[in-house]
Coordinates of all heavy atoms in Angstrom, one line a residue:
M1 N 0.9 -1.2 0.0 CA 0.0 0.0 0.0 C 0.9 1.3 0.0 O 1.8 1.4 0.8 CB -0.9 0.0 1.2 CG -2.2 0.6 1.0 SD -3.2 0.3 2.5 CE -4.6 1.0 1.8
G2 N 0.7 2.2 -0.9 CA 1.5 3.4 -1.0 C 1.1 4.4 0.0 O 0.0 4.4 0.7
R3 N 2.0 5.4 0.3 CA 1.6 6.4 1.3 C 0.7 7.4 0.7 O 0.7 7.6 -0.5 CB 2.9 7.0 1.8 CG 3.6 7.9 0.9 CD 4.8 8.5 1.5 NE 5.6 9.3 0.6 CZ 5.3 10.6 0.4 NH1 4.3 11.2 0.8 NH2 6.1 11.3 -0.5
K4 N 0.0 8.1 1.6 CA -1.0 9.1 1.1 C -0.2 10.4 0.6 O 0.8 10.8 1.2 CB -1.8 9.6 2.3 CG -2.9 10.5 1.9 CD -3.7 10.9 3.1 CE -4.7 11.9 2.7 NZ -5.5 12.4 3.9
K5 N -0.6 10.9 -0.5 CA 0.0 12.1 -1.1 C -0.2 13.3 -0.2 O -1.3 13.5 0.2 CB -0.6 12.3 -2.5 CG 0.3 13.0 -3.5 CD -0.4 13.2 -4.8 CE 0.1 12.2 -5.8 NZ -0.4 12.5 -7.2
T6 N 0.9 14.0 0.1 CA 0.8 15.2 0.9 C 0.6 16.4 0.0 O 0.8 16.3 -1.2 CB 2.1 15.3 1.7 OG1 3.2 15.6 0.8 CG2 2.4 14.1 2.5
D7 N 0.3 17.5 0.7 CA 0.2 18.8 0.0 C 1.6 19.1 -0.6 O 1.6 19.6 -1.8 CB -0.2 19.9 1.0 CG -1.6 19.9 1.5 OD1 -2.4 19.2 0.7 OD2 -1.9 20.4 2.5
F8 N 2.7 18.9 0.0 CA 4.0 19.1 -0.6 C 4.2 18.3 -1.8 O 4.8 18.7 -2.8 CB 5.1 19.0 0.4 CG 6.4 19.4 -0.2 CD1 6.8 20.7 -0.4 CD2 7.3 18.5 -0.7 CE1 7.9 21.1 -1.0 CE2 8.5 18.8 -1.3 CZ 8.8 20.2 -1.4
D9 N 3.8 17.0 -1.8 CA 3.9 16.1 -3.0 C 3.2 16.8 -4.1 O 3.7 16.8 -5.3 CB 3.3 14.7 -2.7 CG 4.0 13.9 -1.7 OD1 5.3 14.1 -1.6 OD2 3.4 13.1 -1.0
R10 N 1.9 17.3 -3.9 CA 1.2 17.9 -4.9 C 1.9 19.2 -5.4 O 1.9 19.5 -6.7 CB -0.2 18.2 -4.5 CG -1.0 16.9 -4.4 CD -2.5 17.2 -4.1 NE -2.8 17.5 -2.7 CZ -2.8 16.7 -1.7 NH1 -2.6 15.4 -1.9 NH2 -3.1 17.1 -0.5
L11 N 2.4 20.0 -4.5 CA 3.1 21.2 -4.9 C 4.4 20.9 -5.7 O 4.6 21.5 -6.8 CB 3.5 22.0 -3.7 CG 4.3 23.2 -3.9 CD1 3.6 24.3 -4.7 CD2 4.8 23.8 -2.5
R12 N 5.1 19.8 -5.3 CA 6.3 19.5 -6.1 C 5.9 19.0 -7.5 O 6.6 19.4 -8.5 CB 7.0 18.3 -5.3 CG 8.4 17.9 -6.0 CD 9.1 16.8 -5.3 NE 8.2 15.6 -5.2 CZ 7.9 15.0 -4.1 NH1 8.2 15.5 -2.9 NH2 7.0 13.9 -4.1
E13 N 4.8 18.3 -7.6 CA 4.4 17.8 -9.0 C 4.0 19.0 -9.8 O 4.3 19.1 -11.0 CB 3.1 16.9 -8.8 CG 3.5 15.5 -8.3 CD 2.3 14.7 -7.9 OE1 1.2 15.2 -8.2 OE2 2.5 13.6 -7.4
C14 N 3.3 20.0 -9.2 CA 2.9 21.2 -9.9 C 4.2 22.0 -10.4 O 4.3 22.4 -11.6 CB 2.1 22.1 -9.0 SG 1.6 23.7 -9.7
F15 N 5.1 22.2 -9.5 CA 6.4 22.9 -9.9 C 7.2 22.2 -10.9 O 7.7 22.8 -11.8 CB 7.2 23.1 -8.6 CG 6.9 24.4 -7.8 CD1 5.6 25.0 -7.9 CD2 7.9 25.0 -7.0 CE1 5.3 26.1 -7.2 CE2 7.6 26.2 -6.3 CZ 6.3 26.7 -6.4
N16 N 7.2 20.8 -10.8 CA 7.9 20.0 -11.9 C 7.2 20.2 -13.2 O 7.9 20.3 -14.2 CB 7.9 18.6 -11.5 CG 8.9 18.3 -10.4 OD1 9.8 19.1 -10.1 ND2 8.7 17.1 -9.7
Q17 N 5.9 20.2 -13.2 CA 5.2 20.4 -14.5 C 5.4 21.8 -15.1 O 5.7 21.9 -16.3 CB 3.7 20.2 -14.3 CG 2.9 20.4 -15.5 CD 3.3 19.3 -16.7 OE1 3.6 18.2 -16.3 NE2 3.4 19.8 -17.8
I18 N 5.4 22.8 -14.3 CA 5.5 24.2 -14.9 C 7.0 24.5 -15.2 O 7.3 25.2 -16.1 CB 5.0 25.3 -14.0 CG1 5.6 25.4 -12.6 CG2 3.4 25.2 -14.0 CD1 5.0 26.5 -11.8
N19 N 7.9 23.7 -14.6 CA 9.4 23.8 -15.1 C 9.5 23.3 -16.5 O 10.2 23.9 -17.3 CB 10.3 22.9 -14.2 CG 10.8 23.6 -13.0 OD1 11.0 24.9 -13.0 ND2 11.0 22.9 -11.9
K20 N 8.7 22.3 -16.9 CA 8.7 21.8 -18.3 C 8.1 22.8 -19.3 O 8.3 22.7 -20.4 CB 7.9 20.6 -18.3 CG 8.5 19.4 -17.6 CD 7.6 18.2 -17.6 CE 8.1 17.1 -16.7 NZ 7.2 15.9 -16.6
E21 N 7.4 23.9 -18.7 CA 6.9 24.9 -19.5 C 7.7 26.2 -19.5 O 7.2 27.3 -19.8 CB 5.5 25.2 -19.1 CG 4.5 24.1 -19.2 CD 3.1 24.3 -18.8 OE1 2.6 25.5 -19.1 OE2 2.5 23.4 -18.2
K22 N 9.0 26.0 -19.2 CA 10.0 27.1 -19.2 C 9.7 28.2 -18.1 O 10.0 29.3 -18.3 CB 10.1 27.8 -20.6 CG 10.6 26.9 -21.6 CD 10.8 27.7 -22.9 CE 11.4 26.8 -24.0 NZ 11.7 27.6 -25.2
I23 N 9.1 27.7 -17.0 CA 8.9 28.6 -15.9 C 9.8 28.1 -14.7 O 9.7 26.9 -14.4 CB 7.4 28.5 -15.4 CG1 6.4 28.8 -16.5 CG2 7.2 29.4 -14.2 CD1 6.6 30.1 -17.2
I24 N 10.6 28.9 -14.2 CA 11.5 28.6 -13.1 C 10.6 28.5 -11.9 O 10.0 29.5 -11.5 CB 12.6 29.6 -13.0 CG1 13.5 29.6 -14.2 CG2 13.4 29.3 -11.7 CD1 14.4 30.9 -14.2
A25 N 10.6 27.4 -11.2 CA 9.8 27.2 -10.0 C 10.8 26.8 -8.9 O 11.4 25.8 -8.9 CB 8.7 26.1 -10.2
I26 N 10.7 27.7 -7.8 CA 11.7 27.5 -6.7 C 11.0 27.3 -5.5 O 10.2 28.1 -5.0 CB 12.7 28.8 -6.7 CG1 13.3 29.1 -8.0 CG2 13.7 28.6 -5.6 CD1 14.0 30.5 -8.0
H27 N 11.4 26.3 -4.8 CA 10.9 26.0 -3.4 C 11.8 26.8 -2.4 O 13.1 26.9 -2.5 CB 11.1 24.5 -3.1 CG 10.2 23.6 -3.9 ND1 8.9 23.4 -3.6 CD2 10.5 23.0 -5.0 CE1 8.4 22.6 -4.5 NE2 9.3 22.3 -5.3
N28 N 11.2 27.5 -1.4 CA 11.9 28.2 -0.4 C 12.9 29.1 -0.9 O 14.1 29.1 -0.5 CB 12.5 27.1 0.6 CG 12.8 27.7 1.9 OD1 12.4 28.8 2.3 ND2 13.5 27.0 2.8
A29 N 12.5 30.1 -1.7 CA 13.5 31.0 -2.3 C 13.6 32.3 -1.4 O 12.8 33.2 -1.4 CB 12.9 31.5 -3.7
G30 N 14.7 32.2 -0.6 CA 15.0 33.4 0.2 C 14.0 33.5 1.4 O 13.2 32.6 1.7
Y31 N 14.2 34.6 2.1 CA 13.3 34.8 3.3 C 12.2 35.7 3.0 O 11.1 35.6 3.5 CB 14.1 35.4 4.4 CG 13.4 35.6 5.7 CD1 13.1 34.4 6.5 CD2 12.8 36.7 6.1 CE1 12.4 34.5 7.6 CE2 12.1 36.8 7.3 CZ 11.9 35.7 8.0 OH 11.1 35.8 9.2
T32 N 12.4 36.7 2.0 CA 11.4 37.7 1.6 C 11.1 37.6 0.1 O 11.8 36.9 -0.6 CB 11.8 39.1 1.9 OG1 12.9 39.4 1.1 CG2 12.2 39.3 3.4
I33 N 10.0 38.2 -0.3 CA 9.7 38.2 -1.7 C 10.8 38.8 -2.5 O 11.1 38.3 -3.6 CB 8.3 38.9 -2.0 CG1 7.9 38.6 -3.4 CG2 8.5 40.5 -1.8 CD1 6.4 38.9 -3.7
D34 N 11.5 39.9 -2.0 CA 12.6 40.5 -2.8 C 13.7 39.5 -3.0 O 14.4 39.4 -4.0 CB 13.1 41.7 -2.1 CG 12.2 42.9 -2.2 OD1 11.3 42.9 -3.1 OD2 12.2 43.8 -1.3
E35 N 14.0 38.7 -1.9 CA 15.1 37.7 -2.0 C 14.7 36.6 -3.0 O 15.5 36.1 -3.7 CB 15.5 37.1 -0.6 CG 16.1 38.1 0.3 CD 16.4 37.6 1.6 OE1 16.0 36.4 1.9 OE2 16.9 38.3 2.5
G36 N 13.4 36.3 -3.0 CA 12.9 35.3 -3.9 C 13.0 35.7 -5.4 O 13.4 35.0 -6.3
V37 N 12.7 37.0 -5.7 CA 12.8 37.5 -7.0 C 14.3 37.5 -7.4 O 14.7 37.1 -8.5 CB 12.2 38.9 -7.1 CG1 12.6 39.6 -8.4 CG2 10.7 38.9 -7.0
H38 N 15.2 37.9 -6.5 CA 16.6 37.9 -6.7 C 17.1 36.5 -7.1 O 17.8 36.3 -8.1 CB 17.3 38.4 -5.5 CG 18.8 38.5 -5.7 ND1 19.7 37.5 -5.4 CD2 19.6 39.5 -6.3 CE1 20.9 37.8 -5.7 NE2 20.9 39.0 -6.2
D39 N 16.6 35.5 -6.3 CA 17.0 34.1 -6.6 C 16.5 33.7 -8.0 O 17.2 33.0 -8.7 CB 16.4 33.2 -5.6 CG 17.1 33.3 -4.2 OD1 18.1 34.0 -4.1 OD2 16.7 32.6 -3.3
A40 N 15.3 34.1 -8.3 CA 14.8 33.7 -9.7 C 15.6 34.3 -10.8 O 15.9 33.6 -11.8 CB 13.3 34.2 -9.8
F41 N 16.0 35.6 -10.6 CA 16.8 36.3 -11.6 C 18.3 35.6 -11.7 O 18.8 35.5 -12.8 CB 16.9 37.8 -11.4 CG 15.8 38.5 -12.1 CD1 14.6 38.7 -11.5 CD2 16.0 38.9 -13.4 CE1 13.5 39.3 -12.2 CE2 14.9 39.6 -14.1 CZ 13.7 39.8 -13.4
E42 N 18.8 35.1 -10.6 CA 20.0 34.4 -10.6 C 20.0 33.2 -11.5 O 20.8 32.9 -12.3 CB 20.5 34.1 -9.2 CG 21.2 35.3 -8.5 CD 21.8 34.8 -7.2 OE1 21.9 33.6 -6.9 OE2 22.3 35.7 -6.5
V43 N 18.9 32.4 -11.2 CA 18.6 31.2 -12.0 C 18.5 31.5 -13.5 O 19.0 30.9 -14.4 CB 17.5 30.4 -11.5 CG1 17.2 29.2 -12.3 CG2 17.7 29.9 -10.0
F44 N 17.7 32.6 -13.8 CA 17.4 33.1 -15.1 C 18.8 33.3 -15.9 O 19.0 32.8 -16.9 CB 16.6 34.3 -15.1 CG 16.4 35.0 -16.4 CD1 15.6 34.5 -17.4 CD2 17.2 36.2 -16.7 CE1 15.5 35.2 -18.6 CE2 17.0 36.8 -17.9 CZ 16.2 36.3 -18.8
H45 N 19.6 34.1 -15.2 CA 20.9 34.5 -15.9 C 21.8 33.2 -16.1 O 22.4 33.0 -17.1 CB 21.6 35.5 -15.1 CG 20.9 36.8 -15.2 ND1 20.8 37.6 -16.3 CD2 20.4 37.6 -14.2 CE1 20.2 38.7 -16.1 NE2 19.9 38.7 -14.9
H46 N 21.7 32.3 -15.1 CA 22.5 31.0 -15.3 C 22.0 30.3 -16.5 O 22.8 29.8 -17.3 CB 22.5 30.2 -14.0 CG 23.1 28.9 -14.1 ND1 24.4 28.7 -14.1 CD2 22.5 27.6 -14.3 CE1 24.7 27.4 -14.3 NE2 23.6 26.8 -14.4
L47 N 20.7 30.1 -16.5 CA 20.1 29.3 -17.7 C 20.4 30.0 -19.0 O 20.6 29.4 -20.0 CB 18.6 29.1 -17.4 CG 18.3 28.2 -16.2 CD1 16.8 28.1 -16.0 CD2 18.8 26.8 -16.5
K48 N 20.2 31.4 -19.0 CA 20.6 32.1 -20.3 C 22.0 31.9 -20.7 O 22.2 31.7 -21.9 CB 20.3 33.6 -20.1 CG 18.8 34.0 -20.0 CD 18.1 33.8 -21.2 CE 18.2 35.0 -22.1 NZ 17.4 34.9 -23.3
S49 N 22.9 31.8 -19.8 CA 24.3 31.5 -20.1 C 24.5 30.1 -20.7 O 25.5 29.8 -21.4 CB 25.2 31.7 -18.9 OG 25.1 30.6 -18.0
K50 N 23.5 29.2 -20.5 CA 23.5 27.9 -21.0 C 22.6 27.8 -22.3 O 22.2 26.7 -22.7 CB 23.0 26.9 -20.0 CG 23.8 26.9 -18.7 CD 25.1 26.1 -18.8 CE 25.8 26.1 -17.5 NZ 27.2 25.7 -17.5
N51 N 22.3 28.9 -22.8 CA 21.5 29.0 -24.0 C 20.0 28.4 -23.8 O 19.4 27.9 -24.7 CB 22.1 28.3 -25.2 CG 23.3 29.0 -25.6 OD1 23.4 30.3 -25.7 ND2 24.3 28.3 -26.0
M52 N 19.5 28.6 -22.6 CA 18.2 28.2 -22.3 C 17.4 29.5 -22.2 O 18.0 30.6 -21.8 CB 18.1 27.4 -21.1 CG 18.9 26.1 -21.2 SD 19.0 25.3 -19.6 CE 17.8 24.0 -19.8
S53 N 16.1 29.5 -22.4 CA 15.2 30.7 -22.4 C 14.1 30.5 -21.5 O 12.9 30.4 -21.9 CB 14.8 31.0 -23.8 OG 15.9 31.2 -24.7
P54 N 14.3 30.7 -20.2 CA 13.1 30.6 -19.3 C 12.2 31.8 -19.5 O 12.6 32.9 -19.8 CB 13.7 30.7 -17.9 CG 15.1 31.2 -18.0 CD 15.5 30.9 -19.5
E55 N 10.9 31.6 -19.4 CA 9.9 32.7 -19.7 C 9.5 33.4 -18.4 O 8.9 34.5 -18.5 CB 8.8 32.1 -20.4 CG 9.2 31.6 -21.8 CD 8.0 31.1 -22.6 OE1 6.8 31.3 -22.2 OE2 8.2 30.4 -23.6
G56 N 9.5 32.7 -17.3 CA 9.0 33.4 -16.1 C 9.5 32.6 -14.8 O 10.3 31.7 -15.0
F57 N 8.8 32.9 -13.7 CA 9.2 32.3 -12.4 C 8.0 32.2 -11.5 O 7.0 32.9 -11.7 CB 10.3 33.1 -11.8 CG 10.0 34.5 -11.4 CD1 9.3 34.8 -10.2 CD2 10.2 35.5 -12.2 CE1 9.0 36.1 -9.8 CE2 9.9 36.8 -12.0 CZ 9.2 37.1 -10.7
C58 N 8.1 31.3 -10.6 CA 7.2 31.3 -9.5 C 8.0 30.7 -8.3 O 9.0 30.0 -8.5 CB 6.0 30.5 -9.7 SG 6.2 28.7 -9.9
F59 N 7.6 31.1 -7.1 CA 8.3 30.6 -5.9 C 7.5 31.0 -4.7 O 6.5 31.7 -4.7 CB 9.7 31.3 -5.8 CG 9.6 32.8 -5.6 CD1 9.5 33.3 -4.3 CD2 9.7 33.7 -6.6 CE1 9.5 34.7 -4.1 CE2 9.7 35.1 -6.4 CZ 9.5 35.5 -5.1
Y60 N 7.9 30.3 -3.6 CA 7.4 30.8 -2.3 C 8.7 30.9 -1.4 O 9.7 30.3 -1.7 CB 6.5 29.7 -1.7 CG 7.0 28.3 -1.5 CD1 7.7 27.9 -0.3 CD2 6.8 27.4 -2.5 CE1 8.2 26.7 -0.2 CE2 7.4 26.1 -2.3 CZ 8.0 25.8 -1.2 OH 8.5 24.5 -1.0
N61 N 8.6 31.7 -0.4 CA 9.8 32.0 0.4 C 9.5 31.5 1.9 O 8.5 31.0 2.2 CB 10.2 33.5 0.3 CG 9.1 34.4 0.8 OD1 8.5 34.2 1.9 ND2 8.7 35.4 0.0
F62 N 10.6 31.8 2.7 CA 10.5 31.3 4.1 C 9.3 32.0 4.8 O 8.7 31.3 5.6 CB 11.8 31.6 4.8 CG 11.9 31.0 6.2 CD1 12.1 29.6 6.3 CD2 11.6 31.8 7.3 CE1 12.2 29.1 7.6 CE2 11.6 31.2 8.6 CZ 11.9 29.8 8.7
Q63 N 9.0 33.2 4.6 CA 7.9 33.9 5.3 C 6.6 33.2 4.8 O 5.7 33.1 5.6 CB 7.9 35.4 4.9 CG 8.9 36.2 5.6 CD 8.9 37.6 5.3 OE1 8.4 38.0 4.2 NE2 9.5 38.5 6.1
D64 N 6.5 32.8 3.5 CA 5.3 32.1 3.1 C 5.1 30.8 3.8 O 4.0 30.4 4.1 CB 5.4 31.9 1.6 CG 5.4 33.2 0.8 OD1 4.8 34.2 1.2 OD2 6.1 33.3 -0.3
I65 N 6.3 30.1 4.1 CA 6.2 28.8 4.8 C 5.6 29.0 6.2 O 4.8 28.2 6.7 CB 7.5 28.2 4.9 CG1 8.0 27.7 3.5 CG2 7.5 26.9 5.8 CD1 9.4 27.3 3.4
E66 N 6.0 30.1 6.8 CA 5.5 30.5 8.2 C 4.0 30.7 8.1 O 3.2 30.2 9.0 CB 6.2 31.7 8.8 CG 7.6 31.5 9.1 CD 8.3 32.8 9.6 OE1 7.9 33.9 9.2 OE2 9.3 32.7 10.3
V67 N 3.5 31.4 7.1 CA 2.1 31.6 6.9 C 1.4 30.3 6.6 O 0.3 30.0 7.2 CB 1.8 32.6 5.8 CG1 0.3 32.6 5.4 CG2 2.3 34.0 6.1
A68 N 2.0 29.4 5.8 CA 1.4 28.1 5.6 C 1.2 27.3 6.8 O 0.1 26.7 7.0 CB 2.2 27.4 4.5
I69 N 2.2 27.3 7.6 CA 2.1 26.5 8.9 C 1.1 27.1 9.8 O 0.3 26.3 10.4 CB 3.5 26.5 9.6 CG1 4.5 25.7 8.8 CG2 3.4 26.0 11.0 CD1 5.9 25.8 9.2
N70 N 1.1 28.4 9.9 CA 0.1 29.0 10.9 C -1.4 29.1 10.3 O -2.3 29.1 11.1 CB 0.5 30.4 11.2 CG 1.8 30.4 12.1 OD1 1.9 29.5 13.0 ND2 2.7 31.3 11.8
Y71 N -1.5 29.2 9.0 CA -2.9 29.5 8.5 C -3.3 28.5 7.3 O -4.4 28.7 6.8 CB -3.0 30.9 7.9 CG -2.6 31.9 9.0 CD1 -1.5 32.6 9.0 CD2 -3.6 32.3 9.9 CE1 -1.2 33.5 10.0 CE2 -3.3 33.2 11.0 CZ -2.1 33.8 11.0 OH -1.8 34.7 12.0
N72 N -2.5 27.6 7.1 CA -2.8 26.5 6.1 C -3.0 27.2 4.7 O -3.9 26.7 3.9 CB -4.0 25.7 6.5 CG -4.0 24.4 5.8 OD1 -2.9 23.8 5.5 ND2 -5.2 23.8 5.5
L73 N -2.3 28.3 4.3 CA -2.3 28.9 3.1 C -0.9 29.1 2.6 O 0.0 29.5 3.4 CB -3.0 30.3 3.2 CG -4.4 30.4 3.7 CD1 -4.8 31.8 4.0 CD2 -5.3 29.8 2.6
L74 N -0.7 28.9 1.3 CA 0.7 29.1 0.7 C 0.6 30.2 -0.3 O -0.1 30.0 -1.4 CB 1.3 27.9 0.1 CG 2.7 28.0 -0.4 CD1 3.7 28.4 0.7 CD2 3.1 26.7 -1.1
N75 N 1.3 31.3 -0.1 CA 1.3 32.4 -1.1 C 2.5 32.0 -2.1 O 3.6 31.6 -1.7 CB 1.7 33.7 -0.5 CG 0.6 34.2 0.4 OD1 -0.6 34.1 0.1 ND2 0.9 34.7 1.6
I76 N 2.2 32.1 -3.4 CA 3.2 31.8 -4.4 C 3.3 33.1 -5.3 O 2.4 33.6 -5.9 CB 2.8 30.6 -5.3 CG1 2.7 29.4 -4.4 CG2 3.8 30.5 -6.4 CD1 2.3 28.1 -5.2
A77 N 4.6 33.6 -5.3 CA 4.8 34.8 -6.2 C 5.1 34.3 -7.6 O 5.6 33.2 -7.8 CB 6.1 35.5 -5.6
F78 N 4.8 35.1 -8.5 CA 5.1 34.8 -9.9 C 5.3 36.0 -10.8 O 5.0 37.1 -10.3 CB 3.9 33.9 -10.5 CG 2.6 34.6 -10.4 CD1 2.2 35.5 -11.4 CD2 1.8 34.5 -9.3 CE1 1.0 36.1 -11.3 CE2 0.6 35.1 -9.2 CZ 0.2 36.0 -10.2
G79 N 5.9 35.8 -11.9 CA 6.2 36.9 -12.8 C 6.9 36.5 -14.0 O 7.3 35.3 -14.1
D80 N 7.2 37.4 -14.9 CA 8.0 37.1 -16.1 C 9.2 38.0 -16.0 O 9.4 38.7 -15.1 CB 7.2 37.3 -17.4 CG 7.2 38.8 -17.8 OD1 6.8 39.6 -16.9 OD2 7.4 39.1 -18.9
F81 N 10.2 37.8 -16.9 CA 11.5 38.5 -16.9 C 11.5 39.7 -17.7 O 12.5 40.4 -17.8 CB 12.6 37.5 -17.3 CG 12.7 36.4 -16.3 CD1 12.3 35.1 -16.6 CD2 13.2 36.6 -15.0 CE1 12.4 34.1 -15.7 CE2 13.4 35.6 -14.1 CZ 13.0 34.3 -14.4
T82 N 10.4 40.1 -18.3 CA 10.3 41.3 -19.1 C 9.3 42.3 -18.6 O 9.1 43.3 -19.2 CB 9.9 40.9 -20.6 OG1 8.6 40.4 -20.5 CG2 10.8 40.0 -21.2
D83 N 8.8 42.1 -17.4 CA 7.9 43.0 -16.7 C 6.6 43.2 -17.6 O 6.0 44.3 -17.6 CB 8.6 44.3 -16.4 CG 7.9 45.0 -15.3 OD1 7.2 44.4 -14.4 OD2 8.0 46.3 -15.2
N84 N 6.2 42.1 -18.2 CA 4.9 42.1 -19.0 C 3.8 41.6 -18.1 O 3.8 40.4 -17.8 CB 5.2 41.2 -20.2 CG 3.9 41.1 -21.1 OD1 2.8 41.0 -20.7 ND2 4.2 41.2 -22.4
E85 N 2.8 42.5 -17.8 CA 1.8 42.1 -16.8 C 0.9 41.0 -17.3 O 0.6 40.0 -16.6 CB 0.9 43.3 -16.6 CG -0.1 43.1 -15.5 CD -0.9 44.3 -15.1 OE1 -0.4 45.4 -15.3 OE2 -2.0 44.1 -14.6
E86 N 0.6 41.0 -18.7 CA -0.3 39.9 -19.2 C 0.5 38.6 -19.2 O -0.1 37.5 -18.8 CB -0.6 40.2 -20.6 CG -1.6 39.3 -21.2 CD -2.1 39.7 -22.7 OE1 -2.2 40.9 -22.9 OE2 -2.2 38.8 -23.5
K87 N 1.7 38.6 -19.5 CA 2.5 37.3 -19.5 C 2.7 36.8 -18.0 O 2.5 35.6 -17.7 CB 3.9 37.6 -20.1 CG 4.7 36.3 -20.3 CD 5.9 36.7 -21.1 CE 6.8 35.4 -21.4 NZ 7.9 35.8 -22.2
S88 N 2.8 37.8 -17.1 CA 3.0 37.4 -15.7 C 1.7 36.8 -15.2 O 1.7 35.8 -14.5 CB 3.2 38.6 -14.8 OG 4.5 39.1 -15.0
L89 N 0.5 37.3 -15.6 CA -0.8 36.7 -15.2 C -0.9 35.3 -15.8 O -1.5 34.4 -15.1 CB -1.9 37.6 -15.6 CG -2.0 38.9 -14.8 CD1 -3.1 39.8 -15.4 CD2 -2.3 38.7 -13.4
D90 N -0.5 35.1 -17.0 CA -0.6 33.8 -17.6 C 0.3 32.8 -16.8 O -0.2 31.6 -16.6 CB -0.1 33.8 -19.1 CG -1.1 34.4 -20.0 OD1 -2.2 34.6 -19.6 OD2 -0.6 34.9 -21.1
I91 N 1.4 33.2 -16.3 CA 2.3 32.3 -15.5 C 1.6 32.0 -14.2 O 1.6 30.9 -13.8 CB 3.6 33.0 -15.3 CG1 4.4 33.1 -16.6 CG2 4.5 32.3 -14.2 CD1 5.6 34.0 -16.6
G92 N 0.9 33.0 -13.6 CA 0.2 32.8 -12.4 C -0.9 31.8 -12.6 O -1.2 31.0 -11.6
K93 N -1.6 31.8 -13.7 CA -2.7 30.9 -13.9 C -2.2 29.5 -14.0 O -3.0 28.5 -13.7 CB -3.4 31.3 -15.2 CG -4.2 32.6 -15.0 CD -4.8 33.0 -16.3 CE -5.5 34.4 -16.1 NZ -6.0 34.9 -17.4
K94 N -0.9 29.3 -14.4 CA -0.4 27.9 -14.5 C -0.2 27.3 -13.1 O -0.1 26.1 -13.0 CB 0.9 27.9 -15.2 CG 0.7 28.3 -16.7 CD 2.1 28.3 -17.4 CE 1.9 28.9 -18.8 NZ 2.6 28.1 -19.7
N95 N -0.2 28.2 -12.1 CA 0.0 27.7 -10.7 C -1.2 27.2 -10.1 O -1.3 26.7 -9.0 CB 0.6 28.7 -9.9 CG 2.1 29.0 -10.2 OD1 2.9 28.1 -10.1 ND2 2.3 30.2 -10.6
N96 N -2.4 27.3 -10.7 CA -3.6 26.9 -10.1 C -3.9 25.4 -10.3 O -3.6 24.7 -11.1 CB -4.8 27.7 -10.9 CG -4.9 29.1 -10.4 OD1 -4.5 29.4 -9.3 ND2 -5.3 30.0 -11.4

């Protein structure tokens, strides 16, 4: 008998799937949203140097984990690398 799938198992599956769609998905990216965005851009530049073209990012940070533990909600930040609001919203919809 297999073990019951946890919320983190489902989150990992979601992040793995959107990684396949050229979206950088990072677990526990920094402590704050600014640190998470910085981490996403670091990964973006690394992948660009390898001739890869990520289109956007999503992540949750340490503060988000604290909220998840206390309130059973996980905030996920998302965006694109060109500051295109429509593209950012499309990336956010993939996280649903």
Side-chain angles (χ1 to χ4, degrees):
M1 211 172 187
R3 71 176 176 85
K4 184 179 176 186
K5 207 179 259 193
T6 67
D7 289 339
F8 185 77
D9 291 331
R10 288 187 285 280
L11 178 63
R12 184 181 58 240
E13 289 171 4
C14 175
F15 273 25
N16 287 343
Q17 181 60 42
I18 59 177
N19 273 327
K20 294 175 185 174
E21 298 181 38
K22 297 186 175 183
I23 307 298
I24 298 168
I26 307 171
H27 297 275
N28 200 12
Y31 187 77
T32 65
I33 194 164
D34 289 338
E35 289 177 2
V37 170
H38 181 268
D39 288 355
F41 271 88
E42 279 189 8
V43 174
F44 171 77
H45 290 296
H46 174 75
L47 293 175
K48 290 292 278 184
S49 74
K50 304 283 185 192
N51 294 321
M52 300 171 102
S53 301
E55 295 181 11
F57 61 87
C58 69
F59 64 85
Y60 60 90
N61 60 48
F62 188 78
Q63 288 178 338
D64 296 324
I65 294 170
E66 291 176 335
V67 170
I69 290 169
N70 292 323
Y71 302 102
N72 203 31
L73 299 168
L74 181 62
N75 296 316
I76 297 179
F78 57 88
D80 78 314
F81 296 106
T82 61
D83 204 24
N84 179 316
E85 187 175 334
E86 186 175 321
K87 192 172 180 182
S88 291
L89 290 174
D90 287 341
I91 291 167
K93 289 174 185 175
K94 291 179 189 227
N95 288 299
N96 288 328

